[in-house]
Amino acid sequence: MPPSTVTVLADDLTSAADGAAPFRRAGHRARVLFGPVVGPVDGVTAVDLGTRLAAGPDEAAARTRRAAQAHAGADLLVKTVDSTLRGHVAAELRAALAGSGRRTAILAPAFPAEGRTTIGGVQYVNGTRVDESAFARDPAHPVRTADLARLLPGAGFVDPGELPDVPRRLTANGVLVCSARTDADLDAVVAAVPRPDEVLWAGSPGLADALARRHARTPAAPRPGLPPVHRPLAVVGSAHPASRRQLAALRATAGAALHTPEERAAEPAAPLRRLVEETRRAVAEGRADGLVLTGGETAAAVLGALGATGIELYDEPEPGIARGTLHGPGAPRLPVLVKAGGFGDDGTLVRLTALLAGGTR
């Protein structure tokens, strides 16, 4: 019998969408929430805890532990982990395990579809150790080690050939790191745990995919549907030159957009406040009946101003992009498409705006 409640605890918007989307594809109702953590409900709840931007590991751990306690009763409890080990991985994993009351954390950070593998307890990106890759120079969270034994002292380690030993190695307050090169390896990790509700699952979208395949819902929950969009509005909070070029390309197609000014403001928060207020007015006055939101901070601020606590997920049309309708008692049933990160020069903003306007076709 498939689990009726699944909770995904995520450190940012992208990982929340990536964690929820496989379960939506497997037939579960799914939501991505930005608001208060209230506990598990029917279907999949992916909570963006915002810990990737936390002041430090202590703050990240405190948020994670509170959320894990609130969702301790979920049939499946998943803690997202970046497949390149960025963020406060060790602090959040230990906090989630403590808050959840689960016996063991099963950590499988491999994401084979994106070239991220775990071999002998060491994390690789396209065959290169993550601490020797470009992710070692990440400006916010540079990866210091690819060796999970150093990152998680005292953890146990399981290679694919040792998975039959997993049931006897589930120990109280322990972490079991599972190496994996392929999706089949991740499927075997999930199958090796006899009681999935007794462990904390921790991993990247690769593990979420494996869990969703194992626990598909039949019959599938109906999709929430998307109201038609005739006046899509792109809301861009980034002043990066690539984002500005994307805005220019959108305007060339007669697309509508709001954005922060290019020049720096004396008060850093003021441009975002103005952007949020302009968006709220556009929706209230009927000048926008669908939104493309870029950047986690911008998306959360706009959604909050519209009375939303998250998104009722329709699908994830591209990795890291959530499409659905506003969720929350005071929110209009407005279609939204949220992209957490910035843009390159590939015409993404034009494509996403057209995708939202295209609805379910």
Side-chain angles (χ1 to χ4, degrees), residues 59-266:
E59 179 185 336
R63 290 188 202 174
T64 303
R65 181 169 184 143
R66 287 194 297 269
Q69 288 173 330
H71 288 269
D75 296 334
L76 279 182
L77 184 60
V78 183
K79 173 68 186 76
T80 65
V81 172
D82 184 79
S83 61
T84 64
L85 306 184
R86 288 173 296 173
H88 308 292
V89 174
E92 292 184 26
L93 180 59
R94 297 288 188 189
L97 181 59
S100 71
R102 300 301 208 261
R103 292 175 58 195
T104 307
I106 301 293
L107 173 61
F111 189 9
E114 294 295 324
R116 285 82 187 272
T117 55
T118 313
I119 303 171
V122 176
Q123 198 72 1
Y124 293 85
V125 177
N126 296 321
T128 300
R129 288 173 57 112
V130 292
D131 54 2
E132 297 174 357
S133 73
F135 296 102
R137 300 183 295 276
D138 185 279
H141 291 282
V143 178
R144 303 300 187 193
T145 182
D147 189 344
L148 288 155
R150 289 185 59 193
L151 189 66
L152 295 162
F157 290 82
V158 179
D159 285 328
E162 301 170 324
L163 288 172
D165 293 336
V166 165
R168 68 176 182 80
R169 296 184 63 182
L170 299 178
T171 58
N173 300 315
V175 176
L176 205 55
V177 179
C178 298
S179 291
R181 295 172 182 258
T182 66
D183 287 333
D185 289 340
L186 291 171
D187 287 336
V189 169
V190 171
V193 177
R195 288 289 307 272
D197 59 324
E198 291 186 349
V199 303
L200 171 70
W201 298 94
S204 70
L207 180 63
D209 277 328
L211 286 166
R213 285 192 293 269
R214 180 78 173 183
H215 301 289
R217 186 183 189 277
T218 306
R223 285 187 181 274
L226 291 174
V229 176
H230 304 289
R231 295 174 296 281
L233 175 68
V235 183
V236 180
S238 170
H240 191 279
S243 297
R244 299 303 174 181
R245 289 190 288 271
Q246 294 258 349
L247 282 166
L250 178 64
R251 291 195 183 95
T253 69
L258 293 171
H259 59 88
T260 52
E262 295 189 29
E263 67 277 3
R264 291 185 178 274

Side-chain angles (χ1 to χ4, degrees), residues 307-310 326-332:
T309 56
L326 297 190
H327 174 85

Side-chain angles (χ1 to χ4, degrees), residues 45-58:
T45 303
V47 186
D48 172 14
L49 299 175
T51 51
R52 185 74 69 87
L53 299 177
D58 290 344

